[in-house]
Amino acid sequence: MHKKLAIIGFGNQAKAWALNLRDSGYEIFIGLRPGSLSFEIARSLNFETFEVSNGVNLPCEDVALLTPDDTHLEIAQLLSNEDVNLIFAHGYSIYFHKLSSKFPNINCLLLAPKAIASELRMQYEVGGKLGGVYSVELAKDKELSLQLLKKLAFDLGIKSFHPTTIEGETKADLFSEQTLLCSTLPYSALYAFNKLIEKGVNEQTAYFECWYEVKLIADAMVKMGPVKFFELISPNALIGSEVGHRELFDQDYFDKLEKIYQNIDNWEFEKELSQTNIQQMKDMIAKRWSDQRLSKVHDIMAKELY
């Protein structure tokens, strides 16, 4: 059976999906809004394109919506007269914007690879293993929708594929970003680096210990699992882990974890997101990090290490 998929958007995640699925034998169509600069990029990679606007003419009934979450409501409105399987890589807009109830013609499905775009593409190319979750809880025909998602996941390179709920994936994704992946990891590394520099440790040593080794430790944790990881680390590291655990993870930390989850659960975070100027915040954070000594050291060390 000839496989077709329309992908709306052509950012990093959409590009990885498009390349992986084309290599798996799909005919891929890239949908973009009028005037998008990505038309030229998609065509340069030999993808067929179409315009997503009023009266859009979809090339097939299976569509992956891979634009930023804050654009999904607008795009769903353009597709609302179509009988379409609309596949999301995150549950955010389905959950908070209630797209399924607003647009009954749209079959809202969740296929969420748990990998950044570069990893999704690289693991596919080397035959590695990736994980992902799915939900067909809102599907009109759950069995057919599940077959569609399982086939897509396999062809994307996802080997470990598990059910979830729209609400569960949404809250877990936001919570992990806010409490660990995009907060604790980079900022703890930054502040530890700064403290070592303050105490007279040279830049290269501080960089290796507080930034470069984050990946090495994370890889070991994922590969070994928690029990074996703590069995294999050195006595210094083992005792050090207990010191850090005791000093850093106090009741105030757990109270803050609870507060972050409650802000997601009661929609306070969604309210904050809707009121935030994203580009302004990007510019502010970019300046914050570009002013850090760690960023300047990284630019030098990366030439030797990557």
Side-chain angles (χ1 to χ4, degrees), residues 20 84 112 128 177 183 207 211 300:
N20 287 10
V84 60
E177 290 169 348
S183 59
Y207 178 83
W211 192 264
I300 297 168

Side-chain angles (χ1 to χ4, degrees), residues 3 19 40 42 44 46 68 72 90 108 120 127 147 169 185 196-198 204 211 215 220 225 238 240 251 270 295:
K3 299 175 289 187
L19 292 170
E40 184 177 344
S44 72
N46 298 315
H72 289 182
H90 292 296
C108 291
L120 184 64
Q147 290 176 20
E169 192 278 338
L185 277 178
L196 287 180
I197 296 298
E198 175 191 319
Q204 295 79 10
W211 192 264
K215 181 183 187 305
L238 184 68
Q251 187 57 48
E270 197 281 334
S295 295

Side-chain angles (χ1 to χ4, degrees), residues 209 213 217 229-246:
E209 298 294 345
E213 287 196 26
I217 290 292
F229 172 78
F230 281 102
E231 285 177 351
L232 292 180
I233 60 177
S234 70
N236 285 357
L238 184 68
I239 296 170
S241 75
E242 284 301 290
V243 172
H245 185 210
R246 181 179 67 240

Side-chain angles (χ1 to χ4, degrees), residues 118-130 157 159:
S118 58
E119 190 73 8
L120 184 64
R121 181 58 179 162
M122 187 270 287
Q123 290 297 332
Y124 179 92
E125 291 180 311
V126 301
K129 295 181 179 180
L130 291 167
K159 303 297 194 296

Side-chain angles (χ1 to χ4, degrees), residues 86-279:
L86 196 57
I87 301 157
F88 297 78
H90 292 296
Y92 183 93
S93 60
I94 314 175
Y95 178 70
F96 283 113
H97 297 156
K98 300 186 181 298
L99 296 183
S100 182
S101 59
K102 288 179 179 176
F103 308 111
N105 280 10
I106 294 177
N107 193 35
C108 291
L109 308 174
L110 176 68
L111 193 174
K114 291 306 168 183
I116 61 174
S118 58
E119 190 73 8
L120 184 64
R121 181 58 179 162
M122 187 270 287
Q123 290 297 332
Y124 179 92
E125 291 180 311
V126 301
K129 295 181 179 180
L130 291 167
V133 296
Y134 68 88
S135 172
V136 294
E137 67 196 84
L138 301 175
K140 296 179 175 65
D141 186 322
K142 289 181 172 52
E143 186 57 38
L144 281 177
S145 296
L146 181 55
Q147 290 176 20
L148 168 64
L149 293 187
K150 284 187 172 180
K151 179 62 176 167
L152 271 174
F154 180 82
D155 291 334
L156 274 170
I158 294 171
K159 303 297 194 296
S160 179
F161 198 44
H162 299 276
T164 187
T165 64
I166 301 295
E167 179 179 359
E169 192 278 338
T170 300
K171 291 180 177 179
D173 185 68
L174 294 174
F175 187 75
S176 67
E177 290 169 348
Q178 293 176 35
T179 60
L180 177 64
L181 302 177
C182 302
S183 59
T184 303
L185 277 178
Y187 284 102
S188 292
L190 169 66
Y191 299 141
F193 173 89
N194 286 347
K195 178 57 68 174
L196 287 180
I197 296 298
E198 175 191 319
K199 298 301 182 181
V201 176
N202 70 38
E203 294 177 338
Q204 295 79 10
T205 302
Y207 178 83
F208 279 127
E209 298 294 345
C210 298
W211 192 264
Y212 182 73
E213 287 196 26
V214 169
K215 181 183 187 305
L216 305 180
I217 290 292
D219 285 345
M221 287 166 53
V222 172
K223 182 178 180 180
M224 296 177 182
V227 174
K228 191 172 182 181
F229 172 78
F230 281 102
E231 285 177 351
L232 292 180
I233 60 177
S234 70
N236 285 357
L238 184 68
I239 296 170
S241 75
E242 284 301 290
V243 172
H245 185 210
R246 181 179 67 240
E247 295 297 326
L248 298 175
F249 298 101
D250 56 11
Q251 187 57 48
D252 187 49
Y253 172 83
F254 292 106
D255 290 343
K256 289 174 180 176
L257 281 185
E258 180 64 25
K259 180 180 179 182
I260 288 172
Y261 185 85
Q262 290 304 323
N263 282 345
I264 295 169
D265 193 47
N266 63 23
W267 291 39
E268 283 299 312
F269 175 74
E270 197 281 334
K271 179 180 177 182
E272 180 178 351
L273 181 62
S274 67
Q275 295 174 349
T276 298
N277 183 319
I278 300 299
Q279 188 56 55

